[in-house]
Amino acid sequence: MTQVSPATTPEATATAAPLPGQLRDIVNPATGEAIATVPEQGEHEVDMAVATARRAFEDGPWPNMVRSDRAKLLLRIADAIEDSSETLYTLEARNNGRPITETRAQLSRVPEWFRYNAGLLAAQRQAVLPGDGPYLTYQQRLPLGVCGIITPFNHPMLILARSLSAALANGNTVVVKPSELTPLTTLALADILADAGLPDGVLNVVTGARAAGQRLTGHPDIAKITLTGGTEAGRSAAIATASRFARITAELGGKTPVVLFDDVDPRISAEGAAFAAFVAAGQSCVAGSRFLVQRGIYDEFVDALAARAQAIRLGDPALPDTQMGPLISARQRDKVAALIQSGLDEGATLKAGGKKPSLPKPFDAGFFLSPTVLSDATMDMTVAREEIFGPVAVVIPFDDEHDAVRMANDNPYGLGAGVWTTDVSRAHRVAARINAGMVWVNDHHRLEPSLPWGGIKDSGSGKDAGTESFDDFSWIKTIVVRTAADHVDWYGDQPQRRLN
């Protein structure tokens, strides 16, 4: 298992990417300081991890374990994660910069995914299929083999748990490649699972960057890839897996529209909009990014959202009263700042934020950016079309319901969407017409282990969570048993001519 070490130079900051075989500094984005080092691993280490996982699958006890015993172990893992929760909250908040209050609210739900998939495993039934003649036909679900999971920096532990719990429940072995920026809770989780009794070789972690991810997606022994990341990375992974007919679930980019009709209170809906846009510093594929607001409440909504954005408290993620943390890196902060400037250059109005906040040491060296509201935007602006992945709310007016739906769907992405209205009929009608994998009505960012998660178009394919994800980590074998007392002699004097 990959080991994590304290940073040898706490004052160091990340510079050029290390080469395979070297060490990578893991940086606290709130201060820019290195807090740990991990090995920079590449193709060779991926090959070794896959070989270990394959041996565990072919020769180890995990795939053949009695289902009830495997379910019990998943429940034990869930309890062990809860027992380590405070350590995990602190570690993840320090590694990716999310405020501890946000991190605790999110990671406290991680055990639910293991319990949910343990329940699906315990309740799983094998189908008996109808057919003509003296035959009993039934199906078996079998594990795929070695599965690869590639996770992003924004929600490293939650997104891992979503796929890992389903993969393990079905008896697969797994190789995980976390984001090279945020591997610490993944490594900690691997230790927790081992201590809970997960057999050797079932879970393997590779700490590396693009070369490791490309080798994992292209490895001939990987039966399924689950990837959360950018659209281009997902496209490359889809091509690599298609060449060998491996499965892939890809949750990719998004440009989430949030439609607000003029029957809602603009100040109350602005509170919900702030949550949609600025939680996780906007670094979420389903973050509210395009706010389509009916003209009757447009000005009042913009003012309320700007006021809410300006009141958000930035600072030390470890403090419970901090409401927003930094972006993950200086590079990401600069990219977001450049997109904000492009919006201003194209005619948008800056109503809030748009700059680096003034913070005391050591947070003045962190990668912070103030929550930003851009009004007077149009659908053809870069900020209205491209994924920003930062704390930026772009507000665009619309006239009527037809206009709102057209604008919401005018984008290559289709991951999430929001609708705010007090009209029940319109809520259902508009939600049905928006092209997105998940639509929230009068809320945002809500998820459960039972809710299938995934998008359409450039937002990816397949589903994470729910029975859809659970079932996709297995393959179906159909068995046909002839139950008649006589035998079949096709070439005899009186052959039975029916083949289907």
Side-chain angles (χ1 to χ4, degrees):
M1 181 176 295
T2 297
Q3 297 297 316
V4 58
S5 304
T8 53
T9 54
E11 297 79 16
T13 58
T15 54
L19 298 172
Q22 297 180 344
L23 294 176
R24 174 184 289 272
D25 286 336
I26 303 303
V27 173
N28 178 351
T31 63
E33 297 173 343
I35 55 174
T37 58
V38 298
E40 181 67 15
Q41 298 178 325
E43 295 183 3
H44 175 66
E45 289 79 11
V46 170
D47 288 346
M48 291 194 300
V50 173
T52 298
R54 183 175 178 179
R55 285 194 299 271
F57 183 77
E58 293 178 347
D59 303 326
W62 187 246
N64 300 311
M65 186 179 291
V66 174
R67 288 191 306 164
S68 59
D69 289 342
R70 200 157 65 229
K72 288 176 184 176
L73 181 51
L74 291 175
L75 295 174
R76 195 156 65 242
I77 287 170
D79 292 341
I81 293 171
E82 280 188 338
D83 291 342
S84 302
S85 58
E86 286 300 326
T87 299
L88 293 169
Y89 302 156
T90 302
L91 185 61
E92 185 145 306
R94 199 171 177 219
N95 193 175
N96 74 353
R98 289 189 71 176
I100 190 67
T101 303
E102 271 187 28
T103 303
R104 181 178 286 109
Q106 184 181 82
L107 296 197
S108 65
R109 306 203 63 192
V110 165
E112 294 178 30
W113 263 263
F114 287 91
R115 291 176 179 134
Y116 174 77
N117 282 288
L120 290 181
L121 175 62
Q124 187 182 47
R125 294 183 178 184
Q126 311 290 356
V128 176
L129 307 178
D132 294 333
Y135 298 96
L136 172 65
T137 303
Y138 61 94
Q139 291 181 330
Q140 291 181 337
R141 282 197 171 270
L142 302 168
L144 299 174
V146 183
C147 298
I149 301 175
I150 300 175
T151 59
F153 68 80
N154 54 345
H155 312 299
M157 191 169 163
L158 178 69
I159 288 177
L160 172 59
R162 230 167 40 188
S163 298
L164 179 62
S165 56
L168 294 179
N170 279 282
N172 299 287
T173 57
V174 179
V175 177
V176 178
K177 193 209 84 67
S179 166
E180 66 273 18
L181 302 177
T182 55
L184 299 186
T185 47
T186 298
L187 294 166
L189 186 64
D191 287 338
I192 290 170
L193 267 62
D195 291 343
L198 191 69
D200 291 344
V202 173
L203 174 60
N204 307 270
V205 180
V206 177
T207 55
R210 178 175 296 182
Q214 289 176 337
R215 179 54 179 163
L216 188 59
T217 58
H219 199 289
D221 289 338
I222 293 293
K224 175 176 176 169
I225 285 287
T226 301
L227 178 149
T228 302
T231 296
E232 291 311 309
R235 205 183 311 276
S236 298
I239 293 170
T241 52
S243 67
R244 63 182 189 278
F245 303 106
R247 298 186 186 185
I248 184 169
T249 295
E251 184 206 317
L252 308 177
K255 189 65 179 175
T256 299
V258 179
V259 180
L260 299 105
F261 289 95
D262 61 8
D263 58 359
V264 299
D265 184 321
R267 296 189 176 278
I268 293 175
S269 59
E271 295 173 3
F275 173 67
F278 303 132
V279 71
Q283 297 174 115
S284 174
C285 296
V286 294
S289 180
R290 294 182 290 147
F291 291 90
L292 310 177
V293 183
Q294 201 159 16
R295 292 188 188 275
I297 61 168
Y298 184 84
D299 291 338
E300 192 174 354
F301 172 84
V302 168
D303 289 343
L305 180 59
R308 176 64 70 170
Q310 290 167 340
I312 291 176
R313 295 187 296 273
L314 285 75
D316 184 355
L319 297 179
D321 61 348
T322 296
Q323 295 176 322
M324 199 177 91
L327 295 173
I328 191 62
S329 66
R331 178 182 178 183
Q332 183 64 18
R333 180 194 60 201
D334 293 346
K335 176 186 173 183
V336 174
L339 283 166
I340 293 170
Q341 187 59 51
S342 78
L344 299 179
D345 293 343
E346 293 175 8
T349 300
L350 182 66
K351 299 294 289 187
K355 61 183 180 180
K356 181 179 177 180
S358 177
L359 295 171
K361 292 182 179 295
F363 305 105
D364 59 336
F367 313 130
F368 289 87
L369 187 66
S370 296
T372 300
V373 177
L374 295 175
S375 67
D376 304 319
T378 59
M379 285 294 295
D380 58 346
M381 291 181 179
T382 303
V383 290
R385 302 204 64 80
E386 292 187 11
E387 184 176 37
I388 297 176
F389 228 66
V392 182
V394 180
V395 193
I396 307 169
F398 72 86
D399 294 315
D400 56 26
E401 182 178 314
H402 174 78
D403 196 29
V405 172
R406 176 188 60 80
M407 293 166 68
N409 290 336
D410 182 15
N411 197 269
Y413 296 109
L415 186 57
V419 177
W420 286 75
T421 180
T422 59
D423 185 328
V424 174
S425 297
R426 178 159 58 190
H428 289 288
R429 187 170 61 245
V430 173
R433 294 178 61 195
I434 292 179
N435 296 326
M438 180 170 285
V439 181
W440 292 281
V441 176
N442 298 333
D443 210 334
H444 210 88
H445 288 298
R446 302 300 177 184
L447 69 161
E448 301 287 341
S450 59
L451 303 184
W453 184 274
I456 59 173
K457 301 190 290 184
D458 281 2
S459 290
S461 63
K463 295 293 185 181
D464 227 350
T467 57
E468 290 80 358
S469 174
F470 179 83
D471 289 343
D472 201 48
F473 277 102
S474 65
W475 64 279
I476 294 175
K477 177 189 291 185
T478 301
I479 300 173
V480 181
V481 180
R482 180 177 171 83
T483 59
D486 61 336
H487 66 281
V488 176
D489 183 5
W490 180 266
Y491 297 105
D493 292 338
Q494 295 181 331
Q496 298 183 21
R497 298 294 184 186
R498 181 169 177 171
L499 289 176
N500 52 44

